[in-house]
């Protein structure tokens, strides 16, 4: 790719916000995908006239996910037919938690989604903290999951207890790398909790593990808070084990239903999430567009490979 980059903002408020942040940080021109919804609910997409540049197309997949996804497919297909090179940035990748056939017959949503995005012309794909790194193999091209935790640790440094009083925990062993990345930047120790989820009922079970929680502040780091069940169970167990206070940190805060109340009732002191999903009352959001912008600084200055 030897052309200059421009930013194309996809549909929805979050796509536009990320696109503006990235374009401003990198000094790039910004254009908006034009969209409207017909009276019957169907989506209309128009690509504005663009210079002959490489396109950094920022399309988030926040709720309503299926509508956003359809809008993304329409835009990608049009851009491809017009001969553009497209780098797709999707800060929140919907469907990423359905990454395998947990029960026989289940559709593996993330696999189809990444195949579709690639086949419709996205040459490269970037997201923030995908649920499972391994899912990226379904995108047959350069696919990157950007790490938000060192940046979040820096931003949150003055809102959290002193690192020497803190233990950072992941809510299960499989996610311990998230706790490590946050803890390394924050300057604290890290460990994990043992979690099991019933695949049929969705119920989460925490197994009591010997964690040196007594008298310490705990930061639980996860990729996503959805119903809040995982964080709430972990917080309750840790407070019972003598933790001084518990903070919840996640890249993506879906916080559906009564998740915020659930977390509060379980004793979580503060909730910090990235701004990849709509804000919720009582939850602090950390702007993550700088994590995206930083990734493209070099490309912008030197051109992509
Ligand atoms: C699961 O493996 C994920 O990393 C999150 O822990 C989970 O999706 C959070 O969901 P919920 O908030 O509904 O427990």
């Amino acid at each position: 790719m030897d052309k200059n980059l421009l930013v194309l903002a996809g549909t929805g408020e979050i796509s536009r916000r990320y696109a503006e942040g990235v374009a401003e940080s990198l000094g790039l021109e910004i254009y908006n995908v034009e969209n409207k919804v017909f009276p019957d609910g169907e989506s209309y997409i128009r690509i504005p006239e663009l210079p002959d540049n490489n396109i950094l197309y920022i399309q988030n997949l926040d709720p309503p996910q299926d509508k956003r996804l359809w809008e993304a497919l329409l835009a990608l297909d049009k851009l491809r037919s017009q001969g553009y090179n497209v780098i797709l940035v999707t800060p929140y990748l919907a469907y990423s938690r359905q990454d395998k056939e947990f029960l026989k017959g289940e559709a593996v949503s993330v696999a189809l989604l990444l195949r579709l995005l690639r086949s419709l012309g996205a040459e490269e794909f970037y997201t923030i903290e995908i649920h499972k790194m391994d899912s990226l193999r379904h995108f047959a091209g350069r696919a990157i999951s950007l790490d938000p935790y060192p940046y979040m640790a820096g931003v949150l440094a003055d809102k959290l207890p002193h690192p020497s009083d803190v233990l950072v925990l992941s809510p299960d062993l499989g996610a311990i790398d998230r706790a490590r990345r946050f803890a390394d930047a924050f300057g604290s120790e890290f460990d994990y909790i043992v979690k099991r989820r019933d695949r049929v009922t969705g119920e989460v079970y925490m197994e009591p593990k010997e964690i040196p929680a007594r008298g310490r502040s705990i930061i639980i780091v996860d990729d996503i808070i959805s119903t809040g069940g995982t964080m709430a169970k972990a917080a309750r167990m840790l407070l019972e084990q003598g933790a001084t206070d518990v903070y919840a940190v996640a890249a993506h805060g879906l916080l559906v239903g009564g998740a915020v109340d659930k977390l509060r009732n379980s004793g979580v002191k503060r909730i910090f999430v990235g701004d990849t999903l709509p804000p919720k009352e009582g939850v602090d959001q950390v702007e993550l567009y700088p994590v995206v912008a930083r990734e493209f600084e070099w490309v912008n200055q030197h051109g992509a490979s």
Side-chain angles (χ1 to χ4, degrees), residues 11 45 57 59-61 67-78 88 90 117 120:
T11 59
I45 288 291
Y57 168 41
Q59 177 61 65
N60 203 41
L61 294 183
K67 189 140 199 75
R68 292 269 179 270
L69 174 57
W70 178 239
E71 290 163 349
L73 299 182
L74 290 171
L76 279 173
D77 188 49
K78 192 65 206 169
L88 173 63
T90 300
L117 297 174
L120 286 181

Side-chain angles (χ1 to χ4, degrees), residues 97 131 172 195 197 222-230:
R97 285 174 297 163
H131 179 60
D172 60 51
K195 176 180 112 174
R197 185 186 287 271
D222 208 352
D223 58 331
I224 186 165
I225 308 175
S226 181
T227 64
T230 302

Side-chain angles (χ1 to χ4, degrees), residues 1 55-57 76 85-90 117-118 121-126 139-144 295-296 299 304-305:
M1 289 190 189
I55 313 277
L56 196 57
Y57 168 41
L76 279 173
N85 288 320
V86 177
I87 300 170
L88 173 63
V89 178
T90 300
L117 297 174
R118 178 74 184 107
E123 309 236 335
E124 299 180 19
F125 173 76
Y126 294 77
F139 186 90
R142 182 176 167 81
I144 304 283
E295 181 69 16
F296 291 100
V299 178
S305 54

Side-chain angles (χ1 to χ4, degrees), residues 4-7 19 22-30 56 296 300:
N4 292 331
L5 271 181
L6 66 78
V7 174
V22 170
E24 197 177 322
S25 307
L26 301 180
L28 297 176
E29 273 192 273
I30 182 168
L56 196 57
F296 291 100
N300 187 36

